[in-house]
Amino acid sequence: MSAAPVVLAASSATTVAPIQTPHVEYSSISPLLIVLGLAFAGILVEAFAASEARRRIQPVLAFAGFAAAFIAVVLLHSRRATLVSGALAIDGPTLFLEGTILLFGLFAVLLVAERRLDSSGGAIVASASVTPGAAGSTAMQTSKEVQTEAYPLLAFSVSGMLMFVASNNLLVMFVALEILSLPLYLLAGLARRRRLLSQEAAMKYFLLGAFSSAFFLYGLAMIYGYAGTVRLGAIADAAGSASANDTYLYLGMGLLAVGFFFKIGAAPFHSWTPDVYQGSPTPVTAFMAAATKVAAFGGLLRVFYVAFGGLRWDWRPVIWGVAILTMAIGAVLALTQRDIKRMLAYSAIAHAGFLLVGLAAANTDGLSGSMFYLVTYGFTTIAAFAVVSLVRTGDGEASDLSQWQGLGRTSPWLAGIFAFLLLALAGIPLTSGFTGKFAVFQSAIEGDATPLVVIALVCSAIAAFFYVRVIVLMFFSDPPADGPVVVTRPSLTYATVGVGALVTLLLGVAPQPLLDLASHAAASGFVR
Amino acid sequence: MHTVPWLTILLVIPVAGAILVALLPKRASTLAKQVTLVLTLVELVLAVLATIAYEPDKPGFQFAQRYDWIKQFGVSYSVGADGISIVLILLASVLMPVVVLASWHEAEEGKRGVGAFFSLLLALQAGMVGVFAATDVFLFYVFFEAMLIPMYFLIGSYGAPKEQTQRSYAAVKFLLYSLFGGLLMLAAVIGLYVVSVHQLGHGTFDFAALRQMHIDEDTQKWLFLGFFIAFAIKAPLFPFHTWLPDAGAQSPTGGAVLLVGVLDKVGTFGLLRYCIPLFPDAADYFAPLVLALAVIGIFYGALLAIGQRDMKRLVSYTSLAHFGFIALGCFAFTSQAGTGAVLYMVNHGLSTGLLFLVVGFLVARRGSRDVDAYGGMAKVTPVLAGVFLIAGLSSLALPGLNSFVSEFLVLVGTFTEYKALAIVATCGIVLAAIYVLHLYKRTMTGPVVHEENKLVADLSLREKLVVAPVVALIVALGVYPKPLIDIIRPTVTATFTDVGHHDPAPSVPVAGVTTTGGHS
């Protein structure tokens, strides 16, 4: 990893001769430590437990670990400080986003642990190293074995996300970016069915992700060249004082933004999203769509509010442009999709655009609105992908839209819930999608971004069309003779769908508590 | 005195009913129908009681209730009734049992649930009551949008049985048009909220509070347009109407009655309730445009209706013409025209509702909406033909029937302000006579052209029960509209007075007009 020499260079530049060991506030970073500990414990289980035992221990361990970390976040709720010599920050937004990521992690564990999807069980491959088409690769599909490394990988990724939203320092942020990304590249290649598609997804994600990391790192170097520091607060001070060469600052800001835009799937850096979402195992897709978006947005918000907060008149036009492009591309290209996972991927792109509208607001309401939106979107999208994993044909998920015809007739409840989730994604009132959009758009109008909001609403109307099209297929068409089967009694997935749909409803009908929490978290702002 | 929370009760019954009926076991389809019918009858009784309890001369909203809902946004659950909303709630409650009874065998032969159909009807009723009762703009918006979903499924799942593609096309077109308008309105709603933050110091959606604000004219124009386009799509006004013929033709009969009879009134109701009082300057500014669209709609709708062969489309286009009259009345800014417009909303709900019912019965017998499939039906089905004629005559505003009073009020009220427009619009009545009588002539009179029509049965007892109350109301309101006018007029007058529009020649013509209606 090329990060190592840079770390040395940076620390020799910022600290004076004898290197002081930083003071580590263990209790304040306990969520991160718990998840990291969980990841290492998971590896030990992989090394020492038998395969049968692993399949039983890993999910329980992961679930308990994420739950413990979530409790730690709750216990820390009033902490506001910078930690580890200013490398990490603990403040309202951090804790809010960490809690959100951990909740999504819990649901991801439930989905990955689902074993009743078909005769073999699970969405995760039996042995990832068997190449598609090789001898024994078809036997792999029905094998009872499971690549249980998925759980520690998930834990590593979550730990990276927790660190990413807490980083108060661009270098730490870069390290966190890599920790969260590398396990995801691997996880993307673990689909049990359609191995080739899955491996292609992993490869694409890795290559493009590496590119974006390079952009991020290059931007970091530029910023360092400009400000002489990688600490967000110090960058803001340097940018505030009238100094000589702004070119490095703007170059660095742009390159960092490219890295972030890639991770959140904003246009024109979105092209990986549909391929990766389609190829990855559906539980992983759900996790990526929800948690990665939270983490990447958390980092984006922190950098733009803290480090570049004084430059908002410079970056707001760019965010406007990217937001418009992202919403338009997401909404329009989703219209042409034939595959349900690709359609949801474009929907994710459109939603990234809506979130950027909240960033364009550049005010406290925008911050709380974006955080609220992330929660609402995450729960809805996890539940939606969970439903996708339930509708299957003989050879895996029935991902082609034509196979969803008449589902409302054959399994009315599941189709009804999916329709509800789609309406939430479209932003119909009495669903969380509406409250989220309202929170974001309201802050944007207050932040003098009315034209942007009007464009966003037009894009919502376009987006509504493809959500509605799926509902039309499910309810107004007759089911084909050899239609897909809905899996019976996959309790873990049912639980995920149920909770996701319930939260979608609750946040649509009674959003006050969470809105309070988000605005409380945002009101105290970012610590520097 | 402790007031009865009429509106909340009227809202809770259909919501609870919708859930209850949806949860009934699939086999209990008769039970689902019975439960729905009983609930809608209870709702009707309560709505009548509420209307009786309503005191027309008291200013402001009555039966008002207010509870905080989303404090962060200043959103509250607040409901209240004024003269306009109470009569529209009453209209919805009158039509509901009629529709339920008319749809008794709907969805039976289909593969889709009977319970779901009636559950959707009840959900729709909840939306209709909510949208008229809300006095919080956010709450209004929520009902406005949420109401689309049951209607969408009614058209898409239970509409014209043999035309799956056109049916889902109509359903999607309906949903997207309304959603698009709704989203523009959302932008305006948020804009209004932001203005309230600047002016009142705290954001609110409370209608009474928003009304107190003084918005500068440019902002008013933009916000007005946001609301107006949504309502113009909903009503619908020319040129936003193209979804209506499709939705009207493809809906199940009961759905069409509610869609055109009540749902579309939300648009014209919104014009009167929100567009004019909240943005008075913009309303003045845009009034010529709206009036022009209204008059174009009167002629355009009538001409297209004359040319239709599909009976349901024909009735839909006649509605477009009627909505032209209503919009004309709303934007003439005189209390007669405004009162006439509101009365028109009620009358149109009854007459077009009846027209859709009769056409629906006819179509159900022969399975064709084509005018040419009929002819001479009066010989075979005399009762049906008679009701058809009454509905048609009401639609063309024959004196003595309900629509005449409202159309006359609109035209007289418009004449005092815009003479030319009133005269032009009056010519629209001639076209109305053409489309109604031409339709009647082609379907009902003359010899029985098609052999299979000779075996068609006349209205059954159930169907007679369905049409009887509507026919009775059409005649009663034509002869004695005073009770409704008494409820409507104070609110309309207050609405226009508040925004600075006083009638040019006050008391004499108003009194004269009212009595004209009474004696005709």
Side-chain angles (χ1 to χ4, degrees), chain A residues 86-153:
Chain A
L88 295 176
I90 180 168
D91 50 26
T94 306
L95 288 165
F96 186 91
L97 295 169
E98 284 187 340
T100 312
I101 292 167
L102 286 165
L103 280 182
F104 295 159
L106 282 174
F107 286 110
V109 171
L110 288 183
L111 289 178
V112 171
E114 180 59 69
R115 300 297 312 271
R116 296 199 196 147
L117 289 179
D118 50 22
S119 58
S120 56
I124 303 295
V125 69
S127 171
S129 53
V130 177
T131 44
S137 66
T138 38
M140 280 297 131
Q141 295 200 344
T142 49
S143 159
K144 292 278 174 200
E145 294 293 319
V146 169
Q147 198 91 53
T148 41
E149 283 85 350
Y151 298 97
L153 286 173

Side-chain angles (χ1 to χ4, degrees), chain A residues 324-402:
Chain A
I324 293 171
L325 196 64
T326 309
M327 292 184 294
I329 285 185
V332 172
L333 289 188
L335 292 174
T336 64
Q337 299 307 313
R338 300 288 318 147
D339 182 287
I340 189 107
K341 280 169 87 177
R342 289 183 79 86
M343 193 205 84
L344 287 174
Y346 278 104
S347 139
I349 295 171
H351 280 277
F354 297 138
L355 276 160
L356 284 172
V357 173
L359 177 62
N363 51 24
T364 317
D365 277 353
L367 179 59
S368 71
S370 303
M371 294 198 299
F372 180 80
Y373 196 110
L374 284 167
V375 177
T376 61
Y377 172 71
F379 274 106
T380 311
T381 202
I382 285 185
F385 276 113
V387 173
V388 169
S389 75
L390 288 179
V391 182
R392 306 176 78 84
T393 58
D395 56 345
E397 284 160 10
S399 62
D400 194 82
L401 269 177
S402 62

